[in-house]
Amino acid sequence: MRLLIAAIAACLALGMPAGAGASDAQPSATSIEGWEAVGRLNIANGNICTGALVAPDLVLTAAHCLFDPRTGAQVAPASIWFEAGLSGRQAVALRQVAKAVVHPQYRYRPAGAHQIGSDLAVLKLDRPISRSRIQPLAMSQDAERGDILRVLSYTRRHATRPGLEPSCSVLARQSRTLVLSCLVDFGASGAPVLEMRPGLPPRLVSVISAKAAMGKRRVSIGTALDASLRELMRRAG
């Protein structure tokens, strides 16, 4: 199957001006069980992305978040901070990144043409976050066409409180690349795409990589999880 994507937008990492403020909260975002595992990644080059805790000391995000869009150079892991469960001015936990492991097939490309399908990275935190404070998100490799999903992210409009795309679907899948009807904004790079089933905690099935278009329809591109994630987590330690 060939994905008919008319245009891939620039990466969704967001440059934050000094003193950027919060927009109105979406109450439904924080009603999701375990939402505190999602947090804002503050990067020394002035960008922000979104990440999700997948182990007490490991955060999953998009690989392109780790590269400076002006120079193409990978940023130093220690220049990245993870604010888990950020709501307003307070986070449930704040940790510095000690190590970053990028998917071995990922190659950074200039904004507007960055690589999809392997846009994953795992960040090792300098200290674990206790499970009594935040439970890491469970993960699944089962995302398929037609599945109804949700996205939690920190964006231009929701810079200090998580925003929720409450109901979107998988329009197509090709290997590790998902085309989603989810509407996302700058800052949503690395945001978890969640599968919600009645009576069960949410499961992370994909990571947001880019905005795109199918004809006149706005869509987003996600990287689906597969067995390679376990190897990234192992290498991150």
Side-chain angles (χ1 to χ4, degrees):
M1 177 183 67
R2 184 178 179 181
L3 297 180
L4 301 178
I5 303 298
I8 300 296
C11 66
L12 295 171
L14 170 63
M16 287 293 294
S23 62
D24 293 337
Q26 291 186 9
S28 55
T30 55
S31 68
I32 292 179
E33 180 182 353
W35 75 270
E36 298 92 346
V38 180
R40 193 175 79 179
L41 289 168
N42 302 314
I43 305 167
N45 59 16
N47 288 335
I48 70 165
C49 282
T50 304
L53 199 69
V54 294
D57 59 351
L58 298 178
V59 171
L60 180 64
T61 191
H64 73 258
C65 291
L66 307 184
F67 293 83
D68 190 318
R70 295 165 295 187
T71 66
Q74 187 168 348
V75 301
S79 71
I80 306 172
W81 290 80
F82 178 61
E83 294 183 279
L86 176 65
S87 182
R89 295 186 177 184
Q90 188 169 0
V92 177
L94 174 65
R95 296 289 187 272
Q96 188 175 18
V97 173
K99 181 180 180 180
V101 177
V102 174
H103 195 287
Q105 295 179 13
Y106 181 78
R107 298 294 181 271
Y108 183 77
R109 295 172 182 169
H114 70 279
Q115 188 175 355
I116 60 175
S118 55
D119 192 9
L120 293 177
V122 174
L123 310 179
K124 170 85 169 183
L125 303 178
D126 63 342
R127 291 174 291 131
I129 299 174
S130 170
R131 290 180 183 270
S132 66
R133 299 182 70 189
I134 301 177
Q135 280 288 335
L137 290 175
M139 294 174 285
S140 172
Q141 302 174 23
D142 298 335
E144 296 293 344
R145 183 176 178 180
D147 287 353
I148 304 301
L149 306 169
R150 298 179 180 183
V151 178
L152 273 177
S153 62
Y154 291 86
T155 66
R156 175 161 41 200
R157 293 186 60 237
H158 297 276
T160 62
R161 301 181 192 274
L164 174 67
E165 174 71 4
S167 182
C168 52
S169 62
V170 181
L171 301 175
R173 176 169 182 163
Q174 181 177 354
S175 185
R176 292 191 300 263
T177 300
L178 300 180
V179 181
L180 307 164
S181 66
C182 314
L183 300 180
V184 295
D185 200 357
F186 291 97
S189 284
V193 183
L194 303 174
E195 173 191 77
M196 309 290 292
R197 294 187 177 181
L200 296 174
R203 297 197 301 174
L204 196 163
V205 300
S206 176
V207 165
I208 291 293
S209 181
K211 287 182 177 183
M214 294 178 66
K216 295 182 179 180
R217 182 174 189 175
R218 291 189 301 158
V219 297
S220 56
I221 304 297
T223 301
L225 308 188
D226 65 7
S228 65
L229 177 58
R230 292 296 176 188
E231 176 61 17
L232 293 182
M233 294 173 70
R234 186 194 69 78
R235 288 172 54 199

